[in-house]
Amino acid sequence: MTGYLRQDGRKGIRNYVVVAYLVECAHHVARQVAAPFDARDVQLIGFPGCYINDYAHDMMRALCRHPNVGAVLLVSLGCEMFRREKLREEIAASGRPCEVLVIQENGGTARSIADGRAFVSNALTALAGVPRVPIGVADLVIGTECGGSDGTSLLTANPVIGAAVDHVVDGGGTAMFEELGELFGCEDHMASRAVTPELGGEILRAMRKTFRYYDALGHSSFGGGNITGGLTTIEEKSLGAYAKSGTRPIQGMIKPATTPPKPGLYLMDMVPDGEVRFGYPNINDTVTVVEMIACGCHMVLFSTGRGSVVGSAIAPIIKVCANPETYRKLPDDMDVDAGRILEGRGTIEGVGRETFELIRAVAAGAPSKSEALGHQEFLLGYKSFEKAGPACLPV
Amino acid sequence: MNPSPILVLRDADTVGVAVVPLAAGMSVETAAGPLALRDDIPLGHKVALKDIAVDEIVLKLGFPVGAAKRGVKRGEHVHMHNLRSTYITNFSDRDDTSGGPRS
């Protein structure tokens, strides 16, 4: 198993050229720049807003300097507020080839697309020379997510992901879980797993913030498919979601776009701080997947009961299917058939080990199902965060 | 003997989970004793393992998953019509949405 060595010492499992638009008005040009290239080489991301936002800048910087990314083309309309030159300098300082294409100063759409494609072609040649180095579980950062949960998620896919997460942590690697709005009822148990009482206190504080936030918005992170699938309340859904975190101690609580400072299990606090400002913290699963990837996740284990087919830009998604009926309907989209446990054809331990082995295979270059199908969903909006308190990070 | 089609996750639980679709009128063996089903129980859905009083906290995996909206009989389907969150009212409890597709 080898990876791509980056200047900051992190190792990537992919070697992408990223094309990133800095406002929706540059999205079409960016998409056309990326279009002729293979998704195995070039990935498209971007921020749609015209107004400046610290969180969005931090996210774009972290994503453009992700270990799976080797070079970046920033596509700007020209009049948006995004600090494009600052971002370009931050990316260049990480040792990655980076250019800004400003459409208004570059002859418009057609010439910008042509120039952008020329940059990508040259970058792909340059990236072929990135040194390959051995990579192991201890180098990996693994995210966990659930989408389209149902009554089988708690019984199969979520504890299977928990078992795989335990293997990652035991192997010296890093894992994270998040979606605080889907951890109601688990507060005290989470706090008891924190490595220090102070971190436990911070987790409880974050959960009180989460309650206030969702209460002000008028509903919890709970939708129609959950109900069809047999889940009735947010605390019931949370039990299943929490099982993804496995059983190891919680080392720290990080905000989006924060690289975990040392290995172990982390909770990502994705609920904005302060008054309710920009709407729902997670309008869909992709928002929080992207936030975990901005924390350096090489891939994300994604549990689904109803059958989500999404993938992601920059980091592969591994689908762990909880429901045996769903697996039979969508076998081409699912990487792991955890629902078979309900039919007596597997155990949580066995399928957890299988999932861990799949992590290693995907790290070694094998595409996940959604990756091979070309999925590269991406979404980034507005949020505001305060700095994490000192008790949140391990020393 | 075949494994029970109703999973009882913890001894203290007041609901079990169907691991195959089950029909009203069936009688099934469970870890909490034989159970006569009063309703259809789809895969992944909950069934009452005992009579549950109004406002009683319902336990699944040993954790509270809500409070009964009304009295629930042993063998009844436990879902939106008779269980409520003790945290945040669900989107789907409101009148202004269908809550998406239902089967």
Side-chain angles (χ1 to χ4, degrees):
Chain A
M1 200 154 85
T2 63
Y4 302 90
L5 181 63
R6 308 302 176 192
Q7 196 174 282
D8 63 3
R10 290 189 291 170
K11 299 168 187 172
I13 63 168
R14 301 292 184 268
N15 200 21
Y16 291 128
V17 176
V18 154
V19 179
Y21 56 92
L22 302 181
V23 63
E24 180 60 19
C25 320
H27 190 163
H28 172 74
V29 168
R31 186 168 45 220
Q32 290 301 313
V33 168
F37 298 97
D38 195 305
R40 284 174 293 186
D41 295 324
V42 179
Q43 300 263 298
L44 177 69
I45 68 170
F47 175 65
C50 189
Y51 316 117
I52 210 158
N53 178 257
D54 287 341
Y55 156 82
H57 191 98
D58 292 346
M59 286 286 294
M60 289 293 281
R61 178 179 55 231
L63 291 162
C64 291
R65 305 201 306 194
H66 188 282
N68 289 355
V69 175
V72 180
L73 175 67
L74 301 174
V75 184
S76 161
L77 174 63
C79 51
E80 78 276 10
M81 289 175 75
F82 205 105
R83 288 166 291 194
R84 58 179 179 261
E85 195 48 37
K86 179 169 185 279
L87 181 61
R88 189 199 63 77
E89 286 167 12
E90 290 164 341
I91 297 166
S94 74
R96 290 170 174 83
C98 180
E99 266 185 28
V100 187
L101 194 58
V102 182
I103 297 166
Q104 288 167 345
E105 296 167 8
N106 198 59
T109 298
R111 210 183 109 200
S112 297
I113 292 170
D115 288 356
R117 287 176 182 169
F119 171 86
V120 171
S121 293
N122 290 335
L124 285 171
T125 308
L127 285 193
V130 171
R132 301 290 299 254
V133 291
I135 185 171
V137 172
D139 296 305
L140 295 178
V141 185
I142 306 296
T144 61
E145 174 76 22
C146 42
S149 294
D150 70 13
T152 65
S153 300
L154 164 69
L155 309 178
T156 59
N158 288 339
V160 158
I161 287 177
V165 160
D166 283 353
H167 285 305
V168 169
V169 172
D170 294 348
T174 305
M176 63 185 70
F177 67 113
E178 40 85 42
E179 288 186 314
L180 268 56
E182 301 182 12
L183 290 167
F184 290 123
C186 311
E187 301 87 343
D188 294 337
H189 197 271
M190 276 195 289
S192 75
R193 288 171 66 190
V195 288
T196 63
E198 291 76 18
L199 173 61
E202 290 282 1
I203 291 173
L204 293 175
R205 201 163 72 88
M207 289 304 293
R208 286 194 293 274
K209 170 187 76 173
T210 302
F211 179 83
R212 282 196 307 274
Y213 211 95
Y214 280 91
D215 199 38
L217 292 169
H219 78 75
S220 53
S221 184
F222 192 82
N226 299 142
I227 296 169
T228 316
L231 296 173
T232 312
T233 65
I234 185 59
E235 54 266 44
E236 183 187 17
K237 179 178 177 177
S238 296
L239 266 186
Y242 184 46
K244 299 196 305 297
S245 70
T247 61
R248 299 302 183 251
I250 298 172
Q251 290 291 333
M253 183 168 66
I254 54 175
K255 304 281 172 89
T258 309
T259 305
K262 57 187 271 195
L265 177 68
Y266 289 80
L267 175 61
M268 185 184 76
D269 171 14
M270 34 57 76
V271 176
D273 295 308
E275 62 192 273
V276 176
R277 237 172 300 205
F278 299 118
Y280 293 107
N282 49 336
I283 61 169
N284 54 38
D285 299 320
T286 294
V287 171
T288 46
V289 164
V290 168
E291 287 176 336
M292 283 190 289
I293 293 169
C295 292
C297 284
H298 292 88
M299 67 187 91
V300 175
L301 304 178
F302 192 118
S303 152
T304 187
R306 305 302 297 170
S308 170
V309 302
V310 302
S312 177
I314 295 181
I317 302 286
I318 292 179
K319 285 286 166 35
V320 183
C321 185
N323 185 319
E325 292 177 351
T326 301
Y327 186 82
R328 282 189 279 272
K329 285 188 220 167
L330 303 171
D332 297 343
D333 286 279
M334 299 298 151
D335 294 284
V336 178
D337 173 16
R340 72 182 201 263
I341 292 168
L342 291 184
E343 299 176 340
R345 294 183 289 116
T347 63
I348 286 168
E349 292 74 17
V351 184
R353 166 59 67 173
E354 174 189 324
T355 304
F356 177 63
E357 291 305 328
L358 188 57
I359 290 172
R360 293 167 51 86
V362 170
S368 72
K369 292 276 180 75
S370 50
E371 186 182 10
L373 288 164
H375 281 278
Q376 48 176 302
E377 283 80 353
F378 184 87
L379 195 56
L380 176 60
Y382 285 89
K383 282 190 180 184
S384 54
F385 285 98
E386 294 160 7
K387 264 185 111 62
C392 290
L393 293 180
V395 285
Chain B
M1 196 185 98
N2 289 329
S4 172
I6 302 278
L7 214 51
V8 179
L9 295 165
R10 293 288 183 277
D11 289 345
D13 285 1
T14 52
V15 291
V17 185
V19 297
V20 290
L22 297 168
M26 289 175 72
S27 229
V28 295
E29 286 297 324
T30 78
L35 190 65
L37 302 181
R38 292 170 176 268
D39 300 306
D40 292 347
I41 315 290
L43 168 65
H45 286 233
K46 297 176 291 300
V47 59
L49 298 172
K50 63 183 262 301
D51 290 348
I52 299 169
V54 63
D55 292 332
E56 186 178 331
I57 296 295
V58 169
L59 293 178
K60 174 180 169 182
L61 197 71
F63 283 82
V65 293
K69 286 180 180 173
R70 57 167 174 78
V72 181
K73 292 278 187 216
R74 189 165 190 274
E76 253 190 81
H77 187 204
V78 176
H79 207 9
M80 307 305 291
H81 58 292
N82 55 15
L83 183 66
R84 63 178 167 84
S85 173
T86 61
Y87 277 80
I88 296 176
T89 305
N90 294 314
F91 189 43
S92 312
D93 270 358
R94 302 190 333 207
D95 298 333
D96 57 351
T97 172
S98 68
R102 293 172 196 239
S103 58

